[in-house]
Amino acid sequence: MAPLPSFLVPLLITAASAAIDPFTSGFPSPWAVGGLGWDEAYTKAKEFVSGLTLVEKVNLTTGTGWEADRCVGVTGSVPRLGFRGFCLQDGPLGIRYTDHNSAFPAGINVGATFSRRLMRLRGEAMGSEFHDKGIDVQLGPAAGPLGRVPQGGRNWEGFSPDPYLTGVAMAETIKGIQSKGVIACAKHYILNEQEHFRNSISVKIDDRTLHELYLWPFADSVRAGVGSIMCSYNKIEGLYSCENNWTTNYILKNELSFQGFVVSDWGAQKTTLGSALNGLDMAMPGGPFSPTPGPYSGAIWGGLLTEAVLRGDVPQWRLDDMVVRIMASYFKVHTGNYTTRPDINFSSWEKKAEGYFHPSSKSSWGVVNEFVDVQRNHAALIREIGAKSIVLLKNSNSALPLRKPASVAVIGRDAQDDPLGPNACVERACINATVAMGWGSGTAEYPYLISPSTALKARAAVDGTAFTSIVGNWDLAQAQAAARNASVAIVFATAHAGEDFVDVDGNKGDRNNLTLWDNGDALIRAVAAVNNNTVVVLHTAGPVVLDYAKAHPNVTAILWAGYPGQESGNGLADVLYGDVNPQGRSPFTWGKSVEDYGAELLFTAPDPRNPTQSFDEGVFIDYRHFQKAGIAPTWEFGFGLSYTTFDYSGLKIVSHNGEDTLTPTQMINEGLTEPASTFGTLNRSISANIPPAGFNKIWPYVYPWLSGSNVTIVPSTAAVTPATNGSEQRVLPAGGAPGGNPRLYEVMYTITAEIKNTGTVPGTEIPQLYVQLGGEENPWGVLRGFDDVALAPGETKMVKFELTRRDISNWNTTSQNWEIWSKPKFVFVGSSSNRIRLNATLPAPPGMVWV
Ligand code: NOJ
């Protein structure tokens, strides 16, 4: 029988369609095999791991404990080979808890640039800084939370609630970071969409929504070669993420063929066997935050993993696979050998030069901080991203750009410097001054912070503009007095968000509402009441309710500046004065109320120990929900103004049959993997796995050894279970290579259009491609392409989008595969998700008919 054209049906039909039930059946954690960019690293890792002893292997899988070493997480080492432990350090926008580093714009700003170039450059810049501090793993970027709910406390660490935009940003950031010799860590996998109850919530989700929405950017991360993925705190369908057979073994390591290592979020590991057999490869921070007395300090791995391997509860192949994955990631990003990486030269726990190397056990005093300056000229890039991520939401009467105004009144605390310095608030959890990043582990220490007030004052001095600045938000009469006679009154306001371990003004990470903080709305209204040229600048974690300001005739301009990092004021001044023509586009939708968003954040639960949450809205979050429900937003996803105007014309679609680019090596294998391998022989005697004579253990440091020679190992008599079975396994139909079946990424259509700058100043347009996949189940349109096109006045350029097979596919939960449904499909090219300038029917692939 001739094979069916692959676009009609599941991509590849293999024996695997005699399906594994992903929800109920146990099966082993898939072992790494190399492939797509991993082969050389995998070969080196196998060789390295083959020479390790049991305790050396275990040591690389387990953190030494909270504050046990200098980074937020450090694994054990292999002293015999001169291999120091891995240093893992936050976070997604720069290095946390150190000095002489840069504070980059947050992910949400990078999303707003819609610029692959800036995404990549920021990744490279961050990677070089982490590298030079001796960090092996940067704990970022973040694609979870994706942004299911607008109040989500950590949405700003990621890029956008749109999975396509986030996927591109993840891939570019990861490639940038890893090109500098640092392993990136895509986090938090998966469905960690809110801070309330994050340690106990169980999320219910359907398989299609998981694939089409929340998994999408992780698939891009895996395809980009990410070296590590952090499993999250929450449960999925009742099982903790860090011991979840479905999400880790079945989807991440089998279907997506992830070849790197899974690291736990700090304290997210729950059980020794549950985590080991369900795909965890590295436990962080290794011990509990409050260590308990006893030989293992309360650690779940370390010596307990050694015991489990000796008993046979964890097969050797599983331990070897953990270490091969860890070392393959290491060799993937390192061009040299393992002896050439920089030493760790900072301490997260001490600001002075000298301190304890092992603070949790108050031992080994010496120089722990070398104050290595790693900033290079990154300030220029930070300023550029800051400016190019600003979204101009309103600009009436050509209020902007400013042209040497006679007087400027800058109003609001959010414009000001903190007299105690930009890092005065621990974890950035306050709004005492201008806000340029959220709070929690996603922060970096600022080297300095240029406040808007400082930057605008300097600009005023150059122009001879009279300058006033009002600090407080609550004395409205004072604000009005300053604003009344100013040529332009610029009001600043914030709405802050962060991680659950700090509560700011009653907001436990997630925002309680979508209003501005610190009397911000009243301040805007008061100033607009007395000045008909009121400009509003927002430093918010995401959307706020602002329809009143949009409608107010005296509010002439509104700019969202997000969390722009250390060059905040300079980037803003560049846009306000027209040195940079605004080109940011909103990476989320601005609703008129929190209810507009449909999906709800769970603030209270009947049983707070076992809260559950069902993501019943499916794939309809953010703009997809607004479109479906017919709700007009204040500003839509993808929206942003420019100081010039653009014309769109000449939409063309060229179909490819999608099979031309396929090479035999990209084909899925025969449907079965090789059996699991072991690397090296383990000495299973007790004496080989206890501390060497005379070794002085320091409590609560976590070690890989058995507690002592009197430990009793009772070999397991259990039969091989599905989870410990190392024989060959079926490859899933959607799998076969990192990121999933390579055929998913074949280009099926090339779509082009002409963009013209019809105004009088240079500007960059962000044309966006949306695709309607058809049917009730699909949103009106989903983002599937974007570009940043710089144009001189009168200039025309062609923009090109490439649509892959994956871009036009839906997930079939029965066949467990992507497929192109036969529903008619349309493409839209426009300047936002609502402002469509060109559209066309997508021709059906050869041999297929839209019905
Ligand atoms: C918990 C946070 O959820 C995670 O993002 C971070 O990397 C770790 N703590 C380490 O600080």
Side-chain angles (χ1 to χ4, degrees):
M1 187 178 90
L4 283 169
S6 58
F7 38 73
L8 275 183
V9 283
L11 283 170
L12 284 156
I13 306 198
T14 68
S17 26
I20 301 164
D21 178 350
F23 303 100
T24 54
S25 59
F27 43 87
S29 183
W31 35 95
V33 292
L36 205 76
W38 285 87
D39 286 339
E40 196 185 328
Y42 179 64
T43 305
K44 287 183 185 168
K46 280 195 301 189
E47 191 190 325
F48 183 89
V49 175
S50 299
L52 299 182
T53 67
L54 170 56
V55 287
E56 285 169 345
K57 288 174 180 174
V58 169
N59 223 19
L60 290 173
T61 68
T62 305
T64 54
W66 181 237
E67 300 192 14
D69 280 291
R70 286 185 284 171
C71 311
V72 299
V74 175
T75 68
S77 57
V78 188
R80 183 175 60 86
L81 300 178
F83 190 84
R84 68 163 170 80
F86 281 77
C87 165
L88 295 85
Q89 190 74 9
D90 292 306
L93 62 66
I95 313 172
R96 185 186 186 200
Y97 291 157
T98 182
D99 50 74
H100 297 81
N101 58 281
S102 304
F104 290 86
I108 197 77
N109 283 65
V110 180
T113 67
F114 282 75
S115 165
R116 288 175 172 81
R117 181 183 73 88
L118 293 174
M119 292 166 181
R120 176 71 71 102
L121 288 176
R122 173 173 165 275
E124 289 172 0
M126 292 195 300
S128 62
E129 295 200 6
F130 278 75
H131 176 268
D132 290 359
K133 288 278 183 191
I135 297 161
D136 299 292
V137 182
Q138 174 176 356
L139 299 172
L146 183 65
R148 172 179 178 263
V149 284
Q151 314 99 302
R154 302 184 72 180
N155 292 358
W156 57 273
E157 293 186 45
F159 303 96
S160 165
D162 180 83
Y164 180 90
L165 177 56
T166 293
V168 171
M170 289 294 284
E172 295 295 342
T173 306
I174 288 162
K175 288 180 189 163
I177 292 169
Q178 296 197 162
S179 72
K180 299 297 175 184
V182 171
I183 300 169
C185 180
K187 68 186 190 183
H188 306 85
Y189 184 78
I190 191 169
L191 307 178
N192 185 174
E193 289 295 317
Q194 62 170 58
E195 290 300 284
H196 281 77
F197 307 118
R198 71 171 179 179
N199 293 302
S200 53
I201 201 163
S202 177
V203 174
K204 291 180 89 57
I205 189 160
D206 68 277
D207 188 27
R208 188 188 143 220
T209 301
L210 183 83
H211 277 83
E212 294 186 12
L213 196 59
Y214 299 100
L215 185 67
W216 185 284
F218 285 103
D220 287 318
S221 306
V222 174
R223 188 164 164 86
V226 73
S228 68
I229 291 192
M230 185 188 290
C231 50
S232 53
Y233 285 123
N234 54 292
K235 298 176 192 166
I236 302 113
E237 300 286 346
L239 293 174
Y240 278 108
S241 167
C242 291
E243 27 201 83
N244 193 302
N245 198 264
W246 179 41
T247 53
T248 307
N249 283 355
Y250 182 79
I251 292 179
L252 182 61
K253 288 187 168 178
N254 198 342
E255 181 186 319
L256 295 186
S257 199
F258 173 54
Q259 300 296 305
F261 64 93
V262 175
V263 56
S264 71
D265 199 342
W266 271 231
Q269 184 195 29
K270 303 294 170 187
T271 62
T272 304
L273 297 187
S275 56
L277 299 179
N278 289 306
L280 187 71
D281 302 303
M282 183 187 280
M284 278 292 151
F289 291 101
S290 306
T292 53
Y296 300 122
S297 314
I300 295 173
W301 279 359
L304 286 183
L305 182 57
T306 305
E307 282 189 12
V309 173
L310 290 178
R311 280 197 312 271
D313 285 336
V314 173
Q316 184 190 340
W317 63 258
R318 177 73 270 265
L319 173 67
D320 288 356
D321 181 56
M322 294 174 191
V323 195
V324 164
R325 286 169 174 276
I326 292 167
M327 291 310 301
S329 302
Y330 177 85
F331 287 120
K332 188 173 196 303
V333 304
H334 278 274
T335 44
N337 64 25
Y338 60 81
T339 54
T340 55
R341 62 178 161 161
D343 284 334
I344 301 164
N345 52 42
F346 71 98
S347 171
S348 305
W349 323 115
E350 176 58 64
K351 296 229 177 305
K352 299 196 210 87
E354 292 191 12
Y356 290 115
F357 280 90
H358 308 300
S360 62
S361 36
K362 292 201 175 11
S363 66
S364 304
W365 184 268
V367 174
V368 291
N369 276 318
E370 294 168 36
F371 308 116
V372 177
D373 190 334
V374 296
Q375 299 170 86
R376 302 174 173 78
N377 59 349
H378 296 157
L381 175 67
I382 292 167
R383 180 173 181 162
E384 182 183 356
I385 298 174
K388 292 183 175 172
S389 59
I390 288 175
V391 184
L392 180 62
L393 294 164
K394 178 178 181 181
N395 190 18
S396 51
N397 312 332
S398 298
L400 297 180
L402 299 175
R403 302 164 197 88
K404 295 191 191 254
S407 55
V408 170
V410 166
I411 296 166
R413 197 201 305 263
D414 180 57
Q416 311 299 333
D417 289 300
D418 189 329
L420 301 176
N423 298 316
C425 282
V426 176
E427 308 281 359
R428 307 302 88 76
C430 75
I431 51 164
N432 295 349
T434 194
V435 171
M437 65 176 72
W439 80 74
S441 63
T443 54
E445 304 302 294
Y446 290 110
Y448 60 83
L449 171 56
I450 305 290
S451 70
S453 185
T454 298
L456 294 173
K457 188 173 173 186
R459 192 71 193 222
V462 172
D463 290 353
T465 297
F467 181 83
T468 325
S469 187
I470 298 294
V471 176
N473 283 16
W474 295 84
D475 186 341
L476 300 180
Q478 184 197 39
Q480 287 185 322
R484 189 166 282 117
N485 297 317
S487 317
V488 53
I490 313 179
V491 194
F492 288 79
T494 188
H496 208 18
E499 199 172 340
D500 83 334
F501 70 88
V502 202
D503 174 326
V504 181
D505 203 14
N507 295 266
K508 288 168 72 62
D510 304 314
R511 286 186 283 158
N512 290 338
N513 51 51
L514 296 186
T515 54
L516 289 167
W517 289 28
D518 202 23
N519 211 29
D521 292 300
L523 187 68
I524 293 170
R525 285 193 167 95
V527 170
V530 299
N531 187 310
N532 67 3
N533 191 17
T534 297
V535 173
V536 172
V537 177
L538 302 168
H539 290 119
T540 65
V544 287
V545 172
L546 217 65
D547 47 332
Y548 71 88
K550 181 185 181 188
H552 200 301
N554 285 355
V555 175
T556 47
I558 303 175
L559 303 95
W560 177 77
Y563 285 157
Q566 71 191 46
E567 286 283 328
S568 172
N570 285 336
L572 177 68
D574 290 342
V575 167
L576 287 175
Y577 283 87
D579 297 342
V580 171
N581 189 345
Q583 62 181 74
R585 299 293 181 260
S586 184
F588 46 76
T589 303
W590 299 70
K592 299 197 184 85
S593 71
V594 74
E595 290 75 30
D596 281 359
Y597 290 84
E600 284 175 26
L601 196 147
L602 190 77
F603 283 104
T604 55
D607 177 1
R609 285 160 310 163
N610 288 304
T612 57
Q613 193 178 28
S614 194
F615 287 10
D616 293 332
E617 68 285 345
V619 298
F620 295 94
I621 65 166
D622 199 72
Y623 69 91
R624 299 149 170 238
H625 168 74
F626 279 74
Q627 287 170 338
K628 185 179 185 209
I631 299 171
T634 306
W635 295 288
E636 70 274 14
F637 174 86
F639 174 71
L641 298 167
S642 163
Y643 297 150
T644 186
T645 48
F646 303 98
D647 236 17
Y648 287 58
S649 63
L651 181 65
K652 288 203 187 74
I653 303 177
V654 175
S655 307
H656 312 285
N657 71 13
E659 297 190 34
D660 296 347
T661 54
L662 195 67
T663 67
T665 53
Q666 288 174 301
M667 294 297 285
I668 202 165
N669 62 30
E670 295 303 304
L672 286 180
T673 67
E674 295 290 315
S677 302
T678 52
F679 303 106
T681 310
L682 301 182
N683 184 338
R684 292 177 171 271
S685 70
I686 303 279
S687 59
N689 294 296
I690 56 173
F695 186 88
N696 183 22
K697 285 206 228 168
I698 49 170
W699 190 86
Y701 209 82
V702 176
Y703 299 97
W705 291 299
L706 300 173
S707 55
S709 51
N710 55 352
V711 79
T712 317
I713 299 291
V714 181
S716 168
T717 51
V720 173
T721 66
T724 54
N725 179 359
S727 56
E728 60 278 303
Q729 298 290 319
R730 284 186 174 142
V731 175
L732 296 179
N741 191 328
R743 298 200 60 182
L744 284 169
Y745 298 89
E746 290 169 5
V747 175
M748 296 193 69
Y749 302 91
T750 302
I751 297 168
T752 54
E754 308 279 315
I755 315 290
K756 179 174 185 185
N757 181 348
T758 50
T760 54
V761 291
T764 295
E765 174 63 324
I766 310 284
Q768 298 156 43
L769 174 77
Y770 294 86
V771 178
Q772 189 175 116
L773 296 171
E776 282 289 292
E777 308 86 336
N778 280 309
W780 180 87
V782 289
L783 184 72
R784 286 293 188 257
F786 60 83
D787 206 352
D788 51 337
V789 185
L791 293 162
E795 191 184 6
T796 301
K797 277 186 193 159
M798 193 181 80
V799 59
K800 184 167 113 182
F801 307 104
E802 293 191 322
L803 266 188
T804 65
R805 182 187 297 275
R806 175 191 187 222
D807 288 333
I808 60 163
S809 295
N810 280 101
W811 181 253
N812 183 323
T813 56
T814 309
S815 65
Q816 290 289 293
N817 207 351
W818 294 95
E819 60 187 35
I820 301 170
W821 292 354
S822 57
K823 311 239 166 86
K825 306 194 191 310
F826 303 92
V827 293
F828 308 100
V829 176
S831 58
S832 79
S833 56
N834 286 4
R835 282 157 229 248
I836 302 305
R837 312 287 191 90
L838 307 167
N839 65 77
T841 305
L842 192 71
M848 203 172 175
V849 182
W850 295 148
V851 283

